[in-house]
Structures are given as C-alpha cells and as structure tokens.
Amino acid sequence: MGLGTLTDRAEGETFRLSAGTSTQVLATQKPLAQKEMLLTISNANPFPVSVEIPIGSPGQKIVAQGENLPQTDGIATWSRSLAAGEEAQLRYTY
C-alpha cells in the first residue's frame, strides 16, 4: 500500500487505514434543513461490501432517524453491509 509512517499507538487503540478509492461504492451527503443531513451510500459492485462511515467529530451529538449509531472513539459511526446494487440512506441531525 505504499510507504508511510504511523505514529506510536497504545495497544487496543483504534486507528483508520484507507486502502484506496472506489468508483463502485459511493457516499453522498446533502443538507435537508438547518442541522439536518441525508447521507446516501450505494454499491455498484456485483458483490456485497461493508461500509463504515464516521459522522461528525468526537463528542458531537449526532441523532440518526430510526437508527442507533454506535460510538467509535467518541465519533458516531454508521456501519452497513450493502448487497450488490443496493443503496442505503441515513437521515440525521447534528
């Protein structure tokens, strides 16, 4: 994946590693109203994929409509598995 550096981390500490970009798995976000957003993810691959999207910043209050978003290091995180050709949406306020 190339040469790079990673700062020293404590055992069990979470870190994110980006392995590239995809034109087949897309995420878009658009504002609906003041402090309300619609996040859409789609999978154009012929196979299922798992997607994990951090929303906001640590400690920021994110309220998702119809879903409970778990916290990863204090950041609300939307995790979904998408079947081939599937699209999913998340409406949230911040």
Side-chain angles (χ1 to χ4, degrees):
M1 293 198 316
L3 299 175
T5 59
L6 180 65
T7 59
D8 190 29
R9 302 286 180 168
E11 185 174 326
E13 183 178 354
T14 302
F15 70 95
R16 298 189 186 282
L17 179 66
S18 178
T21 59
S22 171
T23 58
Q24 301 297 94
V25 180
L26 300 175
T28 58
Q29 183 171 259
K30 71 176 186 176
L32 297 175
Q34 186 174 5
K35 296 191 175 198
E36 184 176 12
M37 302 294 280
L38 179 65
L39 178 58
T40 303
I41 53 175
S42 60
N43 176 21
N45 287 302
F47 51 84
V49 298
S50 294
V51 179
E52 186 174 279
I53 301 176
I55 302 171
S57 55
Q60 184 177 17
K61 183 177 180 182
I62 304 293
V63 178
Q65 188 178 63
E67 270 192 65
N68 182 25
L69 297 179
Q71 300 275 318
T72 302
D73 293 333
I75 301 173
T77 304
W78 187 34
S79 298
R80 284 292 305 258
S81 292
L82 294 174
E86 186 179 11
E87 179 179 282
Q89 293 185 326
L90 177 72
R91 177 179 260 172
Y92 70 91
T93 58
Y94 59 95

